[in-house]
Amino acid sequence: EIFDQAFISSNALGTGNAGRLSVTAKSLKVLDGAYIASDANSFGDAGPVTIRADDLLVSGDGGAITYIS
């Protein structure tokens, strides 16, 4: 469970690619502004985001799973 604007992320802030991001859980809740993201803020690509969960809940204001390149 991640909540209250907490995050798991892989970011590329300059030249280059963001890394892979993988989350494996029996149950995963992303709540109340929390997020899982891969971002590339300059030159490069966001890395792949893989989530493996039997149960997944994304809920609340701003909760998200994103890939921005």
Side-chain angles (χ1 to χ4, degrees):
E1 186 170 300
I2 59 173
F3 57 94
D4 247 355
Q5 300 179 358
F7 60 90
I8 300 170
S9 68
S10 173
N11 299 311
L13 301 176
T15 302
N17 299 331
R20 295 178 180 270
L21 190 126
S22 179
V23 177
T24 302
K26 184 166 184 73
S27 177
L28 178 61
K29 296 178 183 179
V30 182
L31 309 170
D32 301 325
Y35 63 91
I36 298 172
S38 180
D39 304 324
N41 296 324
S42 189
F43 298 101
D45 294 322
V49 175
T50 303
I51 297 175
R52 290 184 179 89
D54 293 334
D55 296 303
L56 173 63
L57 173 65
V58 179
S59 180
D61 291 335
I65 299 172
T66 65
Y67 172 91
I68 300 169
S69 185

